[in-house]
Amino acid sequence: MSTLLSRRQALIGLALAALTTQACASRASDDASTTKPDPAAKDPGTLAPTIAYEDSTDALMDVLIPADRDAKGVVTCKGAREVSAGRLFGDQELVSLAQGLGFLPALSDDALTAATTSEGGLRVALNAALDLAAARERPLTAFKDLPRDAMNRVANTMFDDNSADNVAALMEAARVVAFVAYLGAVYDDGGLVAVGFPPYESFADGLAVSGYPRTTSGRLVDATKEDLRALDAKGELDDYTWNVSPPAFAVAVGLDARGDLP
């Protein structure tokens, strides 16, 4: 059985996630049972030599939604950093949009002005906050140079920092950016692939799918010549193919094991 989520399961999961936003912070947990040590690291206190972070914001993206790597350190499933989530901090409208959608609490006038009028202002502010917090954990050390377990501890602490410096709000902004870039395919569709969607047929052209019905591999199917239900029984039919609205009573019944309405 595939471990990837179906599209409907992904959408249901995202809807639930929207109701429990704080649960997203668990990706920065310092619980040893949930923190995955980088296999390329020489020891738990040494940053993997294959990772060269651009700055501390870049490192934070890797903490919020880390990539999966094989025994050689090669990325097998992209994280927020691999889909260029950090680039979204260059968008001057990001903070205003996030506040308008209710993703962020109100910032002070000074912080809002710096974030929305200064090129890269939000990223500069986040880098400064991350490095200050990192220095409390390990003096004279930037956040990007901390070992992973220390990064996790620092990030968790910062999410609870409601001081006048807007630290918690900056971290919320970073989390919004990470998930918007990851699940919104802003620069790369790797996040959508990770939750079970097929890759774009042509990301450069903005073409996610050329039509239905089709198989899970992306092959278009002629419904007049092939048995769609037979393909579905074998698990080879894309689960958006049917495009049929469920009866009203079915909504109240619940979902089956596949995440579909009965």
Side-chain angles (χ1 to χ4, degrees):
M1 180 181 294
S2 172
T3 58
L4 293 179
L5 299 174
S6 72
R7 291 187 178 196
R8 288 193 180 91
Q9 288 172 319
L11 292 176
I12 292 164
L14 294 181
L16 292 174
L19 298 175
T20 56
T21 305
Q22 293 302 317
C24 298
S26 63
R27 297 305 297 264
S29 172
D30 60 355
D31 186 341
S33 65
T34 59
T35 301
K36 297 181 179 179
D38 193 315
K42 293 181 180 179
D43 62 70
T46 302
L47 188 65
T50 56
I51 303 178
Y53 296 119
E54 177 184 346
D55 57 14
S56 291
T57 294
D58 188 34
L60 178 63
M61 293 298 140
D62 198 33
V63 169
L64 293 172
I65 309 179
D68 288 336
R69 291 181 168 84
D70 63 19
K72 296 182 179 179
V74 177
V75 172
T76 57
C77 183
K78 293 181 178 180
R81 182 173 182 262
E82 287 70 31
V83 300
S84 302
R87 287 176 57 189
L88 213 49
F89 270 80
D91 187 342
Q92 295 180 12
E93 299 300 321
L94 174 65
V95 174
S96 297
L97 174 62
Q99 285 187 308
L101 293 173
F103 291 141
L104 284 178
L107 294 173
S108 68
D109 291 341
D110 289 344
L112 184 60
T113 298
T116 57
T117 61
S118 175
E119 184 67 29
L122 184 62
R123 187 166 186 141
V124 170
L126 181 59
N127 279 332
L130 287 165
D131 290 344
L132 178 60
R136 297 192 185 105
E137 170 80 19
R138 182 174 292 189
L140 304 178
T141 304
F143 181 85
K144 68 183 180 66
D145 296 323
L146 291 174
R148 176 49 63 94
D149 59 345
M151 283 186 183
N152 293 340
R153 285 195 299 274
V154 170
N156 272 333
T157 299
M158 293 176 70
F159 273 112
D160 295 328
D161 186 345
N162 294 307
S163 65
D165 295 327
N166 295 292
V167 173
L170 283 171
M171 293 295 286
E172 291 287 353
R175 185 160 57 190
V176 169
V177 166
F179 278 88
V180 167
Y182 195 66
L183 298 175
V186 178
Y187 305 114
D188 189 297
D189 62 348
L192 292 179
V193 174
V195 298
F197 286 75
Y200 272 50
E201 291 186 19
S202 176
F203 190 81
D205 297 325
L207 178 62
V209 56
S210 56
Y212 296 94
R214 68 183 212 153
T215 64
T216 52
S217 66
R219 178 178 66 84
L220 288 175
V221 176
D222 185 343
T224 65
K225 298 179 180 178
E226 295 189 61
D227 187 341
L228 297 185
R229 294 195 178 280
L231 289 171
D232 189 32
K234 293 189 293 184
E236 296 179 4
L237 194 66
D238 187 291
D239 67 352
Y240 272 179
T241 285
W242 297 115
N243 193 28
V244 176
S245 298
F249 70 85
V251 176
V253 174
L255 303 175
D256 62 21
R258 296 177 55 194
D260 293 321
L261 289 165

Coordinates of all heavy atoms in Angstrom, one line a residue, residues 71-111:
A71 N 20.9 7.8 3.4 CA 22.1 7.5 4.3 C 23.3 8.3 3.8 O 24.2 8.6 4.5 CB 22.4 6.1 4.3
K72 N 23.2 8.8 2.5 CA 24.4 9.5 2.0 C 24.1 11.0 2.1 O 24.9 11.8 1.6 CB 24.6 9.2 0.5 CG 25.0 7.7 0.3 CD 25.3 7.4 -1.1 CE 25.8 6.0 -1.3 NZ 26.0 5.6 -2.8
G73 N 23.0 11.4 2.6 CA 22.6 12.8 2.8 C 22.0 13.4 1.6 O 21.7 14.6 1.5
V74 N 21.6 12.6 0.6 CA 20.9 13.1 -0.6 C 19.4 13.3 -0.3 O 18.8 12.4 0.3 CB 21.1 12.1 -1.8 CG1 20.3 12.5 -3.0 CG2 22.6 11.9 -2.1
V75 N 18.9 14.4 -0.7 CA 17.5 14.7 -0.5 C 16.6 13.7 -1.2 O 16.7 13.6 -2.4 CB 17.1 16.2 -0.9 CG1 15.6 16.4 -0.8 CG2 17.9 17.1 0.0
T76 N 15.7 13.1 -0.5 CA 14.7 12.1 -1.1 C 13.3 12.7 -1.1 O 12.5 12.2 -1.8 CB 14.7 10.8 -0.3 OG1 14.4 11.0 1.0 CG2 16.1 10.1 -0.4
C77 N 13.1 13.7 -0.2 CA 11.8 14.4 -0.2 C 12.1 15.8 0.2 O 12.6 16.1 1.2 CB 10.9 13.7 0.8 SG 9.2 14.4 0.8
K78 N 11.7 16.7 -0.7 CA 12.0 18.1 -0.4 C 11.3 18.7 0.8 O 10.2 18.3 1.1 CB 11.6 19.0 -1.7 CG 12.4 18.7 -2.9 CD 12.0 19.5 -4.1 CE 12.9 19.3 -5.3 NZ 12.5 20.1 -6.5
G79 N 12.0 19.7 1.4 CA 11.4 20.4 2.5 C 11.2 21.9 2.1 O 11.4 22.2 0.9
A80 N 10.9 22.8 3.0 CA 10.7 24.2 2.7 C 11.9 24.8 2.0 O 11.7 25.6 1.1 CB 10.2 24.9 3.9
R81 N 13.0 24.5 2.5 CA 14.2 25.1 1.9 C 14.4 24.7 0.5 O 14.8 25.6 -0.4 CB 15.5 24.7 2.7 CG 16.8 25.3 2.3 CD 17.9 25.0 3.2 NE 19.1 25.6 2.8 CZ 20.1 25.0 2.1 NH1 20.0 23.8 1.8 NH2 21.2 25.7 1.8
E82 N 14.2 23.5 0.1 CA 14.4 23.0 -1.2 C 13.4 23.6 -2.2 O 13.6 23.6 -3.4 CB 14.3 21.5 -1.3 CG 15.5 20.8 -0.6 CD 15.6 20.9 0.9 OE1 14.5 21.0 1.5 OE2 16.8 21.0 1.4
V83 N 12.2 24.1 -1.7 CA 11.3 24.7 -2.7 C 11.4 26.2 -2.6 O 10.5 27.0 -3.0 CB 9.8 24.3 -2.3 CG1 9.7 22.8 -2.5 CG2 9.4 24.8 -1.0
S84 N 12.6 26.7 -2.1 CA 12.9 28.2 -2.1 C 11.9 29.0 -1.3 O 11.6 30.1 -1.6 CB 13.0 28.7 -3.5 OG 14.0 28.0 -4.3
A85 N 11.5 28.5 -0.1 CA 10.5 29.2 0.7 C 11.1 30.5 1.2 O 10.4 31.5 1.3 CB 10.1 28.4 1.9
G86 N 12.4 30.6 1.4 CA 13.0 31.8 1.9 C 12.9 33.0 0.9 O 12.9 34.2 1.3
R87 N 12.7 32.7 -0.4 CA 12.6 33.7 -1.4 C 11.3 34.6 -1.1 O 11.3 35.7 -1.5 CB 12.6 33.2 -2.8 CG 13.9 32.6 -3.3 CD 13.7 32.0 -4.6 NE 13.1 32.9 -5.6 CZ 12.7 32.5 -6.8 NH1 12.9 31.2 -7.2 NH2 12.2 33.4 -7.7
L88 N 10.3 33.9 -0.5 CA 9.1 34.6 -0.3 C 9.2 35.8 0.6 O 8.3 36.7 0.6 CB 8.0 33.6 0.2 CG 6.6 33.8 -0.2 CD1 6.4 34.0 -1.7 CD2 5.8 32.6 0.3
F89 N 10.3 35.8 1.4 CA 10.5 37.0 2.3 C 10.8 38.2 1.6 O 10.9 39.3 2.1 CB 11.6 36.6 3.3 CG 11.0 36.0 4.6 CD1 10.7 34.7 4.6 CD2 10.8 36.8 5.7 CE1 10.2 34.1 5.8 CE2 10.3 36.2 6.9 CZ 10.0 34.9 6.9
G90 N 11.1 38.1 0.3 CA 11.4 39.3 -0.5 C 10.2 40.0 -1.0 O 10.2 41.1 -1.6
D91 N 9.0 39.4 -0.8 CA 7.7 40.0 -1.3 C 7.3 41.0 -0.2 O 6.9 40.7 0.9 CB 6.7 38.8 -1.4 CG 5.4 39.3 -2.0 OD1 5.2 40.6 -2.1 OD2 4.6 38.5 -2.5
Q92 N 7.3 42.2 -0.6 CA 6.9 43.3 0.3 C 5.4 43.3 0.7 O 5.1 43.9 1.7 CB 7.2 44.7 -0.3 CG 8.7 44.9 -0.6 CD 9.0 46.2 -1.2 OE1 8.2 47.1 -1.2 NE2 10.3 46.4 -1.7
E93 N 4.6 42.6 0.0 CA 3.2 42.5 0.3 C 2.9 41.3 1.2 O 1.7 41.2 1.6 CB 2.3 42.4 -1.0 CG 2.5 43.6 -1.9 CD 2.1 44.9 -1.2 OE1 1.1 44.9 -0.5 OE2 2.8 45.9 -1.4
L94 N 3.9 40.5 1.5 CA 3.6 39.3 2.3 C 3.0 39.5 3.6 O 2.0 38.9 4.0 CB 4.9 38.5 2.5 CG 4.8 37.3 3.3 CD1 3.9 36.2 2.7 CD2 6.2 36.7 3.6
V95 N 3.5 40.4 4.4 CA 3.0 40.7 5.7 C 1.6 41.2 5.7 O 0.7 40.7 6.4 CB 3.9 41.6 6.5 CG1 3.3 41.9 7.9 CG2 5.3 41.0 6.7
S96 N 1.3 42.2 4.8 CA -0.1 42.7 4.7 C -1.1 41.6 4.3 O -2.2 41.5 4.9 CB -0.1 43.9 3.7 OG 0.7 44.9 4.2
L97 N -0.7 40.8 3.4 CA -1.5 39.7 2.9 C -1.8 38.7 4.1 O -2.9 38.3 4.3 CB -0.9 39.0 1.7 CG -1.6 37.7 1.2 CD1 -3.0 38.1 0.7 CD2 -0.8 37.1 0.1
A98 N -0.7 38.3 4.8 CA -0.9 37.3 5.8 C -1.7 37.9 7.0 O -2.5 37.1 7.5 CB 0.5 37.0 6.4
Q99 N -1.6 39.2 7.3 CA -2.5 39.7 8.3 C -3.9 39.8 7.8 O -4.9 39.5 8.6 CB -2.0 41.1 8.7 CG -0.7 41.1 9.5 CD -0.4 42.5 10.0 OE1 -0.3 43.4 9.2 NE2 -0.2 42.7 11.3
G100 N -4.1 40.2 6.6 CA -5.5 40.3 6.0 C -6.2 38.9 6.0 O -7.4 38.9 6.2
L101 N -5.4 37.8 5.9 CA -6.0 36.5 5.9 C -6.1 35.9 7.3 O -6.6 34.8 7.5 CB -5.1 35.6 5.0 CG -5.1 35.9 3.5 CD1 -4.1 35.0 2.8 CD2 -6.5 35.7 2.9
G102 N -5.6 36.7 8.3 CA -5.7 36.2 9.6 C -4.6 35.3 10.0 O -4.7 34.6 11.1
F103 N -3.6 35.1 9.2 CA -2.5 34.2 9.6 C -1.5 34.8 10.6 O -0.8 34.1 11.3 CB -1.6 33.9 8.3 CG -2.4 33.0 7.3 CD1 -2.2 33.3 6.0 CD2 -3.2 32.0 7.7 CE1 -2.9 32.5 5.1 CE2 -3.8 31.2 6.8 CZ -3.7 31.4 5.5
L104 N -1.5 36.1 10.7 CA -0.5 36.8 11.6 C -1.3 37.8 12.5 O -2.3 38.4 12.1 CB 0.5 37.7 10.8 CG 1.6 36.9 10.0 CD1 2.4 37.9 9.3 CD2 2.5 36.2 11.0
P105 N -0.8 37.9 13.7 CA -1.3 38.9 14.7 C -0.8 40.3 14.2 O 0.1 40.4 13.4 CB -0.7 38.5 16.0 CG 0.6 37.8 15.7 CD 0.3 37.1 14.4
A106 N -1.3 41.3 14.8 CA -0.9 42.7 14.5 C 0.5 42.9 14.9 O 0.9 42.5 16.0 CB -1.9 43.7 15.2
L107 N 1.2 43.6 14.0 CA 2.6 44.0 14.3 C 2.6 45.5 14.7 O 1.6 46.2 14.4 CB 3.5 43.9 13.1 CG 3.8 42.4 12.5 CD1 4.5 42.5 11.2 CD2 4.6 41.7 13.5
S108 N 3.6 45.9 15.4 CA 3.7 47.3 15.7 C 3.9 48.1 14.4 O 4.3 47.6 13.4 CB 5.0 47.5 16.6 OG 6.2 47.3 15.9
D109 N 3.6 49.4 14.5 CA 3.7 50.3 13.3 C 5.1 50.2 12.8 O 5.3 50.2 11.5 CB 3.3 51.7 13.7 CG 1.8 51.8 14.0 OD1 1.0 50.9 13.6 OD2 1.4 52.8 14.6
D110 N 6.1 50.3 13.6 CA 7.5 50.3 13.2 C 7.8 49.0 12.5 O 8.5 49.0 11.4 CB 8.4 50.6 14.3 CG 8.4 52.0 14.9 OD1 7.8 52.8 14.2 OD2 8.8 52.2 16.0
A111 N 7.4 47.9 13.0 CA 7.7 46.6 12.5 C 7.0 46.4 11.1 O 7.6 45.9 10.1 CB 7.4 45.5 13.4

